[in-house]
Every structure is written in structure tokens, then in C-alpha cells.
Amino acid sequence: MSSKIVIVDYGMGNLHSVNKAIAVVGGDPVISSDAAVIAQADKLILPGVGAFGDCMANLQRSGLAPILQKYLHSGRPFLGICLGMQVLFEGSDEAPGVKGLGYFQGQVRRLDTALKIPHMGWNKLSLRSSSPLLQEAGDEYVYFVHSFHVEPQQQELITAVCDYGMEVTAAVGSGSVQAFQFHPEKSSRAGLGLLRAFKEWQP
């Protein structure tokens, strides 16, 4: 069964590289900023590159924030990527006072490491709690570009971590909502495997 995978266009994100990667694994991707298309998606991807405050401002201004909040509670598959993962939480050190989508409880914190920030490059995943998308991803190397990571209030939300002079939250998830701090679309074979798992996933 082919499900339409909608990639949310809110002016920030690696839209075309995500679109291309989904197509490579046999998906049927559509890039859209149309609220009706997003609301009716079989599966939804929220990508993101840039600053938390700008992202939330764009989502609020475009009217997509409440659409996304409703979708997150729909039981349909959702994947957040990088900044698209961070905005699932309540707020961020990067933009004090700016509210995130608030689907998960917790905050986005600046990386507290002696190593160079931003954390940029390949790093190995260590699996924590179960995720339908990460079943074959243990010890895989994936590509990160970020200066902040999420600190969930519920530790069991953390599905994978990596080591960057500290334990970094690499992925979170609960039920139909899963998210990666890293960029699967830039993570070569391992990343395509994760996107294929999303394409085939039926919660």
C-alpha cells in the first residue's frame, strides 16, 4: 500500500533532500505548506534547519502550528527531523519565552560539552527504549548538525543517544510520533534505512 508522505514546508528545512530520500526508498512524497493537505496526510514529516524561535514564528504565522498539534494526536505516523524534533517540546534555551508545540514535556538545552559546538559530523547511535523506526539502527553512524538537544521530562521517551563529550539525545518517540536529532536524509545507507522504515511503518 502506498501512503502519501507529506513534508511540511514552513520556510525552514532540507525539503528537497528529504523529498529525494523518501522517493529513493520508494515513497510517494509531497512537499506542501497547504493546511488542508497537511491535515489529511497519511504520514507527516516535519524537517527543520535553523533557530527554534524563527521556526515557531513561521509555524504560528502560517497557521500550521494548530494543524500540527491536532495531527500529532491523530495516531497517524509523524517524523520530526532536527529542529522538527526540538519544536515538539515545550521550549528552548535558544529562544527563551517562546513556546514549542508542547506535544512532549521537556526543554531543549544547549549542548554542555568541552567539544566543538555545533556538533557537526558522524556519530554512532546507541539504542535506549524501543522505537519502530530504529530496530536495525543500533551502532549505525548518522549525521548530526546541531548546538542544542532535547531533555525530555520522561526519560523513557529517549529512543537513542550518542556520545559527544556528554550523552546527547539522538532520537525520541512515543507511539505514532517519532523524531530524530540527526539528519537521516544526509546519513547515507543507514539514513535511507530509517526513512524506509518510516515509509513502511503502520502504527
Side-chain angles (χ1 to χ4, degrees):
M1 185 182 74
S2 176
S3 7
K4 184 169 286 185
I5 298 175
V6 176
I7 301 165
V8 181
D9 178 7
Y10 60 100
M12 301 172 73
N14 269 345
L15 299 174
H16 296 291
S17 51
V18 174
N19 187 72
K20 183 178 178 184
I22 290 291
V24 165
V25 300
D28 179 21
V30 175
I31 295 172
S32 182
S33 58
D34 186 310
V37 172
I38 291 166
Q40 293 165 14
D42 295 319
K43 298 184 177 183
L44 203 61
I45 296 179
L46 182 66
V49 176
F52 187 98
D54 293 341
C55 173
M56 286 309 305
N58 284 15
L59 290 176
Q60 296 289 3
R61 187 166 49 243
S62 63
L64 293 180
I67 302 292
L68 291 173
Q69 286 167 321
K70 187 172 181 182
Y71 184 97
L72 287 164
H73 289 92
S74 72
R76 286 171 283 162
F78 177 96
L79 177 62
I81 297 175
C82 195
L83 189 58
M85 164 168 150
Q86 294 179 9
V87 296
L88 295 175
F89 287 80
E90 294 170 298
S92 174
D93 287 351
E94 189 178 20
V98 175
K99 288 185 177 179
L101 294 173
Y103 183 76
F104 293 133
Q105 291 181 305
Q107 296 289 322
V108 183
R109 303 295 187 196
R110 186 168 176 83
L111 295 175
D112 184 14
T113 175
L115 300 178
K116 184 180 177 185
I117 295 177
H119 169 206
M120 185 181 298
W122 295 83
N123 211 306
K124 185 167 76 169
L125 292 177
S126 297
L127 301 189
R128 285 290 185 264
S129 57
S130 174
S131 165
L133 305 186
L134 296 173
Q135 290 167 350
E136 298 176 17
D139 295 335
E140 290 280 16
Y141 281 82
V142 292
Y143 191 79
F144 290 83
V145 185
H146 65 121
S147 302
F148 296 82
H149 81 135
V150 301
E151 292 186 358
Q153 202 164 304
Q154 297 170 287
Q155 288 295 298
E156 58 269 27
L157 288 176
I158 299 174
T159 54
V161 298
C162 70
D163 177 40
Y164 190 66
M166 60 174 287
E167 187 172 273
V168 174
T169 305
V172 298
S174 178
S176 61
V177 178
Q178 303 288 322
F180 303 148
Q181 179 59 63
F182 56 88
H183 287 275
E185 77 281 5
K186 295 182 178 179
S187 297
S188 193
R189 179 190 57 80
L192 289 176
L194 295 170
L195 292 174
R196 184 177 292 108
F198 179 71
K199 181 202 72 159
E200 295 171 356
W201 179 32
Q202 299 295 334

